[in-house]
Amino acid sequence: MSPATSAVRDERGVQRHPPTVVNAGSLPVPIPYSPHQRRRTRLDISLFELDPREVVEGVMLDNGMYLAPDPILVGTMRETCPHCDGVALQLVLRRHQVKRSHLFCTQCTRCYDALCEGGYSILGIV
């Protein structure tokens, strides 16, 4: 077993993990073991409704409706539509007729952008 994966018992019989060693340049730097290293943080996200003409290529009809091809949904998000009770938003990525990544409600067909605390789009990196 390698030292990073083996455990050591101290004089009381309690199992201890040796420090993991990471090479920073040419010097080894010991990092203490922590069983809670992976902490998940929840982002505060604000939803901003987008004009469908800004996110999907389509045609404006005479009756004021916007006709666009059905989006290719990538996955269900934890955010729900503010207009539809409990309907999870779907992620739509930028490809084919989609101009920018956005969140889409399959029930009311509204498009949203997810804004972080600083006011920038989280979906801009997708």
Side-chain angles (χ1 to χ4, degrees):
M1 287 183 139
S2 68
T5 58
S6 65
V8 177
R9 295 193 181 273
D10 63 6
E11 59 276 353
R12 295 172 297 181
V14 177
Q15 186 175 1
R16 291 185 355 208
H17 295 275
T20 304
V21 176
V22 177
N23 289 327
S26 61
L27 301 172
V29 178
I31 298 175
Y33 172 78
S34 172
H36 305 291
Q37 277 181 320
R38 298 183 96 188
R39 294 183 186 174
R40 295 183 183 235
T41 58
R42 190 172 179 135
L43 292 175
D44 289 330
I45 296 174
S46 300
L47 295 177
F48 179 74
E49 188 171 351
L50 299 170
D51 186 353
R53 295 174 288 188
E54 294 178 9
V55 294
V56 180
E57 293 177 6
V59 177
M60 184 62 81
L61 301 176
D62 293 334
N63 61 0
M65 298 292 290
Y66 188 68
L67 181 63
D70 289 337
I72 299 171
L73 307 175
V74 177
T76 304
M77 306 303 288
R78 66 178 169 97
E79 288 76 26
T80 57
C81 180
H83 296 283
C84 304
D85 190 32
V87 177
L89 294 174
Q90 303 289 322
L91 177 64
V92 179
L93 296 178
R94 185 181 60 213
R95 64 179 181 194
H96 302 297
Q97 70 277 0
V98 178
K99 297 177 188 177
R100 66 184 276 196
S101 300
H102 62 279
L103 301 177
F104 180 74
C105 178
T106 55
Q107 186 169 342
C108 68
T109 66
R110 287 188 167 102
C111 301
Y112 296 96
D113 193 4
L115 302 178
C116 197
E117 296 169 355
Y120 61 91
S121 174
I122 294 175
L123 301 175
I125 59 173
V126 179

